[in-house]
Amino acid sequence: MSFVLLLLVSSFGLSSCKSQSKQPDKRLVEELNQLKTENAKLKMEVDQLKTQLDNPVPELSPSPIPVAVAKNSPTSTSVAFEDIKGVLGEKEITELAQLAVFDTTSGKFNPQAPITRAEFVRWLVRANNAFFAGSADKKIRLAESGKATFSDVPPTHPDFGYIQGLANAGYPIGDDAQTFKPDQILTREQMLAMKVALDHRVPMESYKGGAPVGWTDSKKISKKYWSALYVESVLQNNANIGRTFGSIKTLNPQAAVNRAEAARCISAISDNVAGFTTAEDALQKVGQSGSP
């Protein structure tokens, strides 16, 4: 009887162990479920990546930069200066603005205000590079760093790239060998000397004549500008003077240049080969090429 009872107890114990072994540990079940959930998430992310690789999103072009901050890229942006209506040079100012020559295309242009030497060089280089955008040999490379030619235009100066760029290209633009005087008001003879040098594209130091004639006040022209004014009057038939000031008998070489006059002056630039290219010509090229 005792043996039978022991056997029954043993049999019940084995059955109980087997029953317990069939019930998984609760903690292990929770960890397994968590792994399954994380695995499902990873699978979804992998599927999303596969979908993106199979269907790439086209790269979006950057938004057009307003002319006010453009890096001299020709554009068809409308011009909305408040004070150029009816001004002599309105057409040229508008065209140059569309070519990003100026720092802005709206607000006040102040056409009668004087222009500084630094601002004129900035406009001149921008205009030249816009007019001859497709001709690397005619463009002025902007200086990015390096030794400054002029003590008053260090690399930290906002117009260093334009002023030093022209100096690096060999154009005589300094007030003297050491200074540029960027904040000085530009005079007629200074403007013409810089502009004619760029038009001519070759050195003019070989000129040995006297004061260029043709104006009642020719003797008032500073000697260092004689060669440039000679080229302007004889070789270029007063192209810049006529476009800027009209038909004149008195040059007034030391008179201040205003912003409208400066714009008219640079609205056409020569390469000394094919003649003058105008702002209108440059805009037509932009339209034909379809470039913004």
Side-chain angles (χ1 to χ4, degrees), residues 8-105:
L8 288 172
V9 171
S10 299
S11 175
F12 177 79
L14 288 172
S15 298
S16 177
C17 288
K18 288 180 180 179
S19 176
Q20 290 178 0
S21 65
K22 290 181 180 179
Q23 295 178 359
D25 184 90
K26 184 177 180 180
R27 182 175 60 82
L28 291 176
V29 171
E30 291 176 351
E31 291 179 355
L32 181 61
N33 289 336
Q34 185 176 356
L35 288 172
K36 287 180 178 180
T37 301
E38 292 177 356
N39 185 61
K41 289 181 179 179
L42 289 172
K43 185 176 184 302
M44 289 178 62
E45 292 177 359
V46 170
D47 291 338
Q48 289 176 351
L49 289 173
K50 286 182 177 179
T51 301
Q52 291 175 2
L53 290 173
D54 294 336
N55 302 279
V57 178
E59 185 175 342
L60 296 177
S61 301
S63 300
I65 302 175
V67 174
V69 293
K71 300 297 182 183
N72 311 321
S73 299
T75 173
S76 59
T77 300
S78 61
V79 178
F81 288 125
E82 304 169 0
D83 53 359
I84 64 170
K85 184 69 174 178
V87 169
L88 183 61
E90 177 184 357
K91 175 177 179 291
E92 291 83 356
I93 292 169
T94 300
E95 291 169 346
L96 290 169
Q98 290 177 322
L99 290 167
V101 171
F102 310 130
D103 296 326
T104 182
T105 58

Side-chain angles (χ1 to χ4, degrees), residues 101-145:
V101 171
F102 310 130
D103 296 326
T104 182
T105 58
S106 60
K108 292 185 179 297
F109 181 75
N110 296 313
Q112 303 306 320
I115 185 172
T116 65
R117 287 168 53 83
E119 189 170 26
F120 178 75
V121 167
R122 186 196 318 149
W123 290 6
L124 180 62
V125 173
R126 286 178 179 176
N128 179 81
N129 290 357
F131 291 7
F132 302 109
S135 304
D137 60 323
K138 298 174 185 176
K139 295 176 68 175
I140 301 297
R141 304 292 195 279
L142 303 190
E144 297 179 356
S145 59

Side-chain angles (χ1 to χ4, degrees), residues 159-204:
D159 289 311
F160 173 80
Y162 303 105
I163 296 170
Q164 190 61 49
L166 268 182
N168 289 345
Y171 293 102
I173 60 172
D175 184 69
D176 54 44
Q178 288 78 39
T179 61
F180 179 77
K181 297 184 178 178
D183 299 322
Q184 186 181 79
I185 298 302
L186 183 74
T187 66
R188 289 186 172 191
E189 62 181 3
Q190 292 170 353
M191 178 183 71
L192 291 168
M194 293 184 201
K195 178 62 166 53
V196 170
L198 185 59
D199 289 336
H200 202 51
R201 309 276 168 169
V202 294
M204 295 180 288

